[in-house]
Amino acid sequence: MQAIEMVAIGAAGIAAGGINAVVGSGTLITFPTLLAFGYPPVLANVSNNIGLVPGTLSAAYGYRRELKGQSGRLIRFGIASLVGGLVGALLLLKLPTDTFQAIVPVLILTACALVLLQPRINRWLQNHEGRKRDDGGVPLWFGVLGTGIYGGYFGAAQGVLLMGLFGNFLRDDLQRLNAAKNVLASIVNGIAAVIFIAVTDVDWTVAAVIAAGSTLGGALGARLGRKLPPTALRALIITIGVTAAGVMTVQ
């Protein structure tokens, strides 16, 4: 890995770690960066997933105050995330590489659409406050499971999906829900990383550089991310995501 490549990937890791802590779309920064440097899509996805695990853990630690009193919720939804992440990772390894290359542009554009629509989704959720419950019930558990499958397979905007589900079903402070989101994303990425390490090829240099960057970014995002202009952040994520989808489509 050349110095300029290492710097670019490390910077992308820092940005992804910070974005994951606040929004949950960091893969839309690191994954396209790896594609731009010529890494094969599946290898890039696997190495990126492993590299982002320390960042999600760092973000979860940064939100530790907001996690108080959520142990029951985290255990209940943590099981769903664990099972979902396992299934998603196995799907990535079992399905043909061509399937991943064909579906990822669609997943990226879907993730970009979710990021773009997030303000409208939040407004809609606020107008339906009365429908929320304290535990979310069975529908939310299966929603978290489905999000875990998606996260284990690819993961871009996994956090946006979780926050949308939480906002729709749970009655709680937004920062507390964001803290729970970071823990569940850590579980999904963690179990997927274990599977990838055990049975497939990993570019450990890439994973290490992203890990270092995402750890720093996760800590900074948990502390400072609330101060970033959300409109500018969404614009950056969408621009990079659409570019990545276009690159993969023409490959």
Side-chain angles (χ1 to χ4, degrees):
M1 181 185 293
Q2 296 181 350
I4 188 171
E5 183 178 340
M6 181 177 294
V7 170
I9 293 173
I14 294 173
I19 290 169
N20 278 340
V22 182
V23 182
S25 312
T27 292
L28 291 179
I29 304 295
T30 44
F31 184 71
T33 300
L34 296 180
L35 293 183
F37 283 110
Y39 291 91
V42 173
L43 178 63
N45 187 46
V46 167
S47 304
N48 176 64
N49 176 286
I50 294 171
L52 289 179
V53 171
T56 55
L57 290 172
S58 177
Y61 180 77
Y63 276 90
R64 60 192 179 280
R65 294 179 184 175
E66 289 84 356
L67 289 173
K68 292 181 180 179
Q70 297 199 69
S71 57
R73 173 184 294 169
L74 294 176
I75 292 172
R76 182 167 64 253
F77 295 135
I79 294 171
S81 293
L82 184 70
V83 174
L86 175 62
V87 172
L90 292 175
L91 284 174
L92 177 66
L93 297 177
K94 293 297 183 181
L95 294 176
T97 301
D98 290 345
T99 301
F100 179 79
Q101 291 183 265
I103 197 173
V104 162
V106 178
L107 295 178
I108 290 176
L109 292 176
T110 301
C112 289
L114 287 169
V115 173
L116 179 64
L117 294 173
Q118 190 176 29
R120 293 187 179 185
I121 294 172
N122 289 342
R123 286 195 295 270
W124 184 88
L125 295 175
Q126 290 174 358
N127 293 331
H128 294 76
E129 184 73 25
R131 298 183 181 182
K132 299 179 183 180
R133 297 175 50 177
D134 292 330
D135 62 359
V138 174
L140 179 55
W141 194 92
F142 278 100
V144 174
L145 173 67
T147 303
I149 294 173
Y150 169 78
Y153 186 79
F154 182 52
Q158 173 188 182
V160 176
L161 290 172
L162 283 172
M163 289 301 290
L165 286 169
F166 287 168
N168 193 24
F169 285 97
L170 295 178
R171 187 184 298 111
D172 206 341
D173 176 73
L174 183 62
Q175 295 300 338
R176 281 171 52 81
L177 296 179
N178 196 42
K181 175 265 291 182
N182 286 330
V183 173
L184 298 182
S186 298
I187 293 172
V188 172
N189 290 349
I191 187 61
V194 170
I195 299 299
F196 296 152
I197 290 170
V199 301
T200 194
D201 293 330
V202 178
D203 190 313
W204 286 107
T205 303
V206 167
V209 171
I210 292 178
S214 68
T215 301
L216 175 59
L220 292 174
R223 177 174 295 184
L224 305 174
R226 301 179 182 91
K227 300 179 182 179
L228 293 175
T231 302
L233 186 59
R234 279 192 294 271
L236 174 64
I237 293 169
I238 292 166
T239 299
I240 294 175
V242 170
T243 302
V247 169
M248 290 201 67
T249 300
V250 300
Q251 281 184 341

